[in-house]
Amino acid sequence: MVIMTQPVKTIISSFRDHDKNSRLSPLSPCRHGTRQWRPTRLGSLAVAIAALLLFTTAWLSLVFSDATTCCFHRVKDWEGRHHFFPWNKCAPLHLSKATIPPTLQFRTTLDHPHNGSSIAEQEGLSVQHIVFGIAGSSQLWKRRKEYIRLWWRPNDMRGHVWLEEKVVEEHGDELLPPTMISGDISYFRYTNPIGHPSGLRISRIIKESFRLGLSDVRWFVLCDDDTIFNVNNLVDVLSKYNSSEMIYIGSPSESHSANTYFSHSMAYGGGGIAISRPLAKALYEILDECIERYPGLYGSDDRLHACITELGIPLTREHGFHQWDIKGDAHGLLSSHPIAPFVSIHHVEAVNPFYPGLSSLDSLKLFTKAMRAEPRSFLQRSICYDHSRHLTFSVSLGYAIQVLPNIVFPRELERSERTYSAWNGISQRNEFDFDARDPHKSVCKKPIRFFLKDTGREGNASWGSYVRNKDKDDFKRRLFCFPNFPPLHNVRKIQVVAQPLSNNWHLVPRRLCCKPSQTSKEMLQISVGQCGNWEGAF
């Protein structure tokens, strides 16, 4: 049924009145005059029909416009929202390439976003103030959920795993974060020739997490389902910042090529992205319209970064977030962790098991056991020397100890040994955006490795038992390094006792100090702790 507007009704009504008056007038023309007047009446009819079509077309274009479609989607987004109805002016979803982002608006000092709480109330951050948004895949969920189980605390933590479709729940899944189904993304454009539209779905996790309206949230942390988190250190790191401000925290990739392609100022979601609540709220308001401006981007991280950049928020880098765009043997990175709290690690399936003789999952279980034993000092470096035997000890707490058969200065040891390749298969030094060094070519200069076997706590201190690794180069050492036998060739185990770090170590971190001592012919003990004012490796 066609709905006529008032102007159309007026035109048709006037035409009918004119026709009626013409017939009733005493001065009606004769039959011959009627023939002359007929073309004028037909012309008026044509004008009326054209006006009718014009207004009908305008009405239909209004009903089915992109703005109306946008408002329809806004109504869908609002469904299930509990506390607010942020109805903004709709912009067309299908924007052209010429569309520009909205202009940033100024605010006064009185318009300070404290979320209804003072700075004093922002203190005392705990894990319950954090909501996790975990990007998952229904096809990989059966395997990947075992990684989340290693670090998730079901009674203390809040968050969801966002999947593209429902999965069958199994026994024990109640100890995992609940699963949620992501919203429809079919109305968004995606034109990247090598990517996958799932990047659209994952980029909207921050919007969908915020829309849940959970109470007392200060931070939203985004990650992947193959990411391991050190939750204690995450809380310590986030507590350095004022969560009432717009803050975007994370770390770029280890791969120079990846950073060059995407951005050197972009946080990678696999390693984890922390977004303060005010920034999450701002993204909630603009995200869908912003995403539509970037149909050619590859994935979720670059879309999120593009929208945060439109808001004028730079990346705050924290060295403990690890994207880990590497493959192969991760020893070089694990044994040279930066002097910063270890927060996260990604791509745990793409590298060899961390500890020799264990499967990938069992290796990660030992890894997270050591992480829980002493979260603050986990993976922290310590370098000390035995000058009488001309030995260097490089300790990576919770992972491994390396004993080098000569004196090696800390400046060299803090550079990561390239035992791995980048995600693209390249292993040259200039492929990595951190200090890297070539592996030792001489078998006589290679370190002897002791890997963690077990760990625990005793009083305030943590302990770790490290066992000598059977290396394929042991025979070559005995053959070619004579008369200099491998260092500590009788020692089969090293016991490490680590003293707890101070509560504010993460604010001004410093490399730990260590002291070796021989306890028996087959065992060595190393004490590790914070350095004194004038204490160092030597």
Side-chain angles (χ1 to χ4, degrees):
M1 181 178 66
V2 178
I3 301 177
M4 292 186 294
T5 61
Q6 188 61 37
V8 177
K9 292 180 179 179
T10 303
I11 294 174
I12 295 178
S13 176
S14 61
F15 169 75
R16 289 173 176 171
D17 291 343
H18 174 78
D19 186 37
K20 181 179 179 181
N21 293 336
S22 298
R23 290 197 304 268
L24 297 178
S25 173
L27 300 178
S28 298
C30 62
R31 185 180 301 268
H32 177 73
T34 303
R35 289 195 191 99
Q36 292 179 346
W37 176 80
R38 186 175 301 168
T40 303
R41 185 176 62 178
L42 292 176
S44 300
L45 180 62
V47 171
I49 294 174
L52 176 62
L53 292 176
L54 176 64
F55 281 101
T56 302
T57 302
W59 179 78
L60 290 175
S61 64
L62 175 63
V63 171
F64 296 103
S65 67
D66 285 341
T68 306
T69 305
C70 169
C71 295
F72 171 73
H73 287 299
R74 285 291 177 88
V75 172
K76 289 182 64 179
D77 285 344
W78 172 78
E79 293 175 356
R81 197 174 306 150
H82 303 292
H83 303 295
F84 42 79
F85 191 97
W87 188 265
N88 293 336
K89 184 179 179 180
C90 280
L93 272 177
H94 301 286
L95 303 175
S96 65
K97 293 183 179 179
T99 302
I100 60 175
T103 304
L104 297 180
Q105 295 185 358
F106 294 101
R107 73 176 186 191
T108 65
T109 54
L110 297 177
D111 185 25
H112 199 69
H114 284 303
N115 301 324
S117 61
S118 65
I119 294 179
E121 292 172 335
Q122 292 288 329
E123 296 176 357
L125 181 71
S126 72
V127 70
Q128 294 180 348
H129 297 123
I130 302 172
V131 169
F132 288 84
I134 305 174
S137 167
S138 302
Q139 287 73 28
L140 302 175
W141 176 238
K142 187 176 182 64
R143 182 175 76 250
R144 294 277 181 88
K145 66 182 179 181
E146 299 305 321
Y147 304 138
I148 300 176
R149 198 185 305 274
L150 296 174
W151 59 273
W152 187 259
R153 304 175 190 172
N155 297 324
D156 299 329
M157 300 171 64
R158 295 190 292 174
H160 305 85
V161 178
W162 295 87
L163 304 173
E164 73 276 18
E165 59 185 13
K166 289 185 178 180
V167 293
V168 178
E169 289 193 9
E170 299 177 337
H171 177 70
D173 286 359
E174 66 275 5
L175 300 178
L176 295 168
T179 58
M180 299 282 282
I181 307 303
S182 299
D184 180 29
I185 58 169
S186 61
Y187 53 88
F188 290 102
R189 294 181 299 154
Y190 187 87
T191 61
N192 190 283
I194 60 175
H196 192 275
S198 61
L200 293 167
R201 176 181 72 86
I202 296 173
S203 65
R204 297 183 76 251
I205 288 178
I206 182 64
K207 178 185 177 78
E208 296 184 310
S209 296
F210 186 87
R211 188 174 58 197
L212 296 176
L214 300 178
S215 63
D216 201 17
V217 179
R218 301 183 190 176
W219 294 93
F220 292 88
V221 173
L222 310 176
C223 65
D224 287 354
D225 54 2
D226 60 340
T227 302
I228 302 292
F229 262 99
N230 186 337
V231 179
N232 292 65
N233 283 355
L234 174 66
V235 173
D236 281 346
V237 168
L238 295 183
S239 67
K240 298 192 303 182
Y241 303 95
N242 183 358
S243 60
S244 65
E245 298 288 352
M246 291 189 183
I247 306 178
Y248 167 52
I249 299 176
S251 183
S253 172
E254 294 78 8
S255 170
H256 179 75
S257 297
N259 291 333
T260 301
Y261 179 79
F262 292 103
S263 173
H264 287 265
S265 301
M266 182 185 87
Y268 281 68
I273 302 174
I275 295 175
S276 63
R277 189 184 186 280
L279 179 55
K281 184 178 186 299
L283 288 171
Y284 174 83
E285 301 290 344
I286 71 163
L287 191 64
D288 283 353
E289 289 82 358
C290 176
I291 286 175
E292 189 63 20
R293 283 192 282 274
Y294 302 97
L297 294 184
Y298 178 85
S300 59
D301 301 345
D302 45 354
R303 281 176 169 79
L304 195 60
H305 172 250
C307 297
I308 293 175
T309 301
E310 288 191 3
L311 293 171
I313 308 302
L315 173 65
T316 299
R317 301 191 183 195
E318 282 289 345
H319 296 292
F321 290 81
H322 300 291
Q323 170 68 11
W324 260 38
D325 283 336
I326 63 168
K327 295 180 179 179
D329 184 1
H331 173 77
L333 283 181
L334 288 171
S335 61
S336 61
H337 192 274
I339 304 175
F342 166 78
V343 175
S344 66
I345 194 172
H346 182 222
H347 284 151
V348 293
E349 291 180 323
V351 294
N352 302 340
F354 296 163
Y355 305 99
L358 298 179
S359 66
S360 179
L361 184 58
D362 288 339
S363 183
L364 289 172
K365 288 180 179 179
L366 179 58
F367 186 79
T368 51
K369 181 181 180 181
M371 183 174 67
R372 290 190 298 270
E374 185 52 59
R376 279 198 178 98
S377 60
F378 180 64
L379 285 188
Q380 289 308 304
R381 301 288 307 283
S382 181
I383 301 172
C384 49
Y385 300 90
D386 184 338
H387 292 282
S388 63
R389 289 183 282 190
H390 210 62
L391 300 177
T392 300
F393 295 88
S394 177
V395 181
S396 180
L397 286 174
Y399 172 59
I401 301 170
Q402 298 182 93
V403 182
L404 293 91
N406 54 345
I407 300 297
V408 183
F409 296 134
R411 183 180 184 276
E412 181 69 14
L413 288 177
E414 286 197 345
R415 303 172 70 190
S416 174
E417 181 183 3
R418 274 191 308 102
T419 61
Y420 42 81
S421 65
W423 196 255
N424 56 13
I426 300 175
S427 58
Q428 281 78 10
R429 287 173 55 184
N430 57 5
E431 172 57 26
F432 303 100
D433 275 343
F434 54 84
D435 290 333
R437 59 184 171 90
D438 296 331
H440 293 287
K441 294 182 179 179
S442 172
V443 68
C444 298
K445 292 185 178 181
K446 288 185 176 181
I448 304 298
R449 297 176 180 176
F450 292 75
F451 287 94
L452 182 70
K453 185 69 174 179
D454 196 10
T455 185
R457 293 190 61 85
E458 189 171 324
N460 290 331
S462 62
W463 60 267
S465 181
Y466 298 77
V467 176
R468 191 186 191 111
N469 182 45
K470 293 181 179 179
D471 199 314
K472 62 181 180 180
D473 292 327
D474 284 346
F475 178 75
K476 293 181 180 179
R477 287 191 182 97
R478 293 182 179 274
L479 184 63
F480 297 110
C481 302
F482 183 85
N484 297 322
F485 288 105
L488 304 177
H489 59 277
N490 291 322
V491 175
R492 295 287 172 245
K493 182 186 294 185
I494 298 179
Q495 195 84 3
V496 174
V497 178
Q499 297 299 321
L501 304 185
S502 63
N503 292 335
N504 61 352
W505 176 86
H506 63 282
L507 298 177
V508 187
R510 180 184 176 186
R511 191 181 65 241
L512 306 183
C513 287
C514 64
K515 183 179 180 180
S517 60
Q518 190 87 34
T519 57
S520 68
K521 185 178 181 180
E522 295 185 351
M523 179 176 289
L524 188 75
Q525 180 171 309
I526 298 179
S527 300
V528 177
Q530 288 184 246
C531 300
N533 289 338
W534 305 105
E535 192 177 4
F538 286 91

